[in-house]
Amino acid sequence: MYMATTPNGIIAKKDDDTSFVSDVEWRNFRRMIKSTGNMIIGRRTYEIMRGNKEFRGLEKIPVIIVSKKLQKTLNQRHHIVRSPKDAVAFLKKQGFKKALVAGGSKNNSSFLKENIIDEIYLDVEPTIIGKGIPLFQANIESRLKLIGIRKLSRNEIQLHYKVLKK
Ligand SMILES: NC(=O)c1ccc[n+]([C@@H]2O[C@H](COP(=O)([O-])OP(=O)(O)OC[C@H]3O[C@@H](n4cnc5c(N)ncnc54)[C@H](OP(=O)(O)O)[C@@H]3O)[C@@H](O)[C@H]2O)c1
C-alpha cells in the first residue's frame, strides 16, 4: 500500500481536496506505480482520478477498481473487480508478483482487514488537516514494524512499514 498523508493521518479533505500533496510526492507515487506495473484503487478514488485526468502518463498500467456498483469502464486497461481477493486473483492471473494498493480510505481498510497488505509506504506531508478522510476507517487496527525511513525533500519523509500479520 502506498499513500500520501498528513502527520495526523488524513489523506484528503472532506471535499476530496488533496492539494496538500506535493509535486515531489506525486512524482514518487507515479514512479512506484510504474515499478509495480499495476494499481488497485477503490471506486471513489477511481472516479476522482479519472475526473482529474490523473491517469495521463499511466496509459500502459492496468488499473484495478474495487467496486460492487461500477458496471463498466471506458478504458480496456481499467478492470472492475468485486472484492480485494478478486483484485489479487486478477493480477496473479496476469502474472504479477506484486500489487500496489493506492487508496482511498475504504479500499485500504478492506485490504488490511483481509490481511492482504504486506507493506505500507506513507509519504508524510507537512500539513495538519483537522477534519477529512482518514488513512483507514475507524474500526481498523493493525501492528506494524518500521523497516525504513527516507527523506523525500527538506520537508517530507517516507515511512516504510511491514504489516505484522495476525
Ligand atoms: N492521499 C492519498 O495518497 C490518496 C490516495 C488515494 C485516494 N485519496 C483520497 O481518498 C478519498 C477516497 O477514499 P474513500 O474511502 O472515500 O473511497 P475509496 O476507498 O476510494 O472507494 C470506496 C469504494 O470502493 C469500493 N470498495 C471498497 N472496499 C470494497 C470491498 N471490500 N468490496 C467491494 N468494493 C469495495 C466501494 O465501491 P462501490 O460503492 O462502488 O461498491 C466503496 O464505496 C478521495 O478523497 C481521494 O482523493 C487520497
Side-chain angles (χ1 to χ4, degrees):
M1 191 190 113
Y2 189 113
M3 294 295 290
T5 178
T6 69
N8 61 317
I10 296 294
I11 59 167
K13 291 188 185 169
K14 277 282 172 227
D15 61 359
D16 298 318
D17 177 359
T18 53
S19 55
F20 70 94
V21 177
S22 75
D23 290 347
V24 171
E25 197 288 333
W26 191 237
R27 281 197 295 274
N28 223 49
F29 174 54
R30 290 170 78 85
R31 259 200 301 275
M32 184 68 116
I33 297 170
K34 285 180 184 164
S35 102
T36 311
N38 64 63
M39 71 189 289
I40 303 173
I41 48 181
R43 193 254 313 156
R44 284 204 66 236
T45 296
Y46 175 67
E47 287 173 348
I48 292 164
M49 287 187 72
R50 196 180 53 189
N52 293 342
K53 305 202 177 347
E54 287 171 352
F55 294 114
R56 266 192 200 146
L58 300 173
E59 287 80 7
K60 291 190 180 141
I61 303 289
V63 178
I64 315 306
I65 304 133
V66 186
S67 171
K68 293 220 189 298
K69 281 193 213 152
L70 201 64
Q71 291 306 320
K72 64 171 186 182
T73 65
L74 299 175
N75 185 316
Q76 58 178 11
R77 288 199 172 266
H78 296 179
H79 308 276
I80 302 161
V81 295
R82 299 298 178 204
S83 71
K85 283 202 174 85
D86 287 356
V88 174
F90 180 91
L91 287 171
K92 258 191 188 158
K93 218 169 155 185
Q94 307 256 314
F96 285 103
K97 300 236 176 330
K98 283 184 179 179
L100 186 75
V101 177
S105 176
K106 289 191 182 127
N107 190 50
N108 293 343
S109 303
S110 296
F111 276 80
L112 198 61
K113 212 169 183 176
E114 295 204 24
N115 256 325
I116 296 173
I117 306 280
D118 297 316
E119 291 177 30
I120 298 179
Y121 290 88
L122 297 179
D123 289 354
V124 183
E125 296 287 9
T127 307
I128 300 289
I129 298 171
K131 201 171 174 187
I133 298 176
L135 253 178
F136 294 101
Q137 301 285 290
N139 60 338
I140 297 295
E141 194 173 321
S142 180
R143 303 288 295 175
L144 309 175
K145 181 181 175 193
L146 183 66
I147 53 177
I149 304 174
R150 192 156 73 90
K151 201 159 178 189
L152 300 179
S153 71
R154 270 183 66 196
N155 233 349
E156 296 159 287
I157 56 162
Q158 181 179 80
L159 302 172
H160 182 191
Y161 292 101
K162 182 179 161 62
V163 177
L164 301 175
K165 303 269 175 116
K166 287 168 207 150

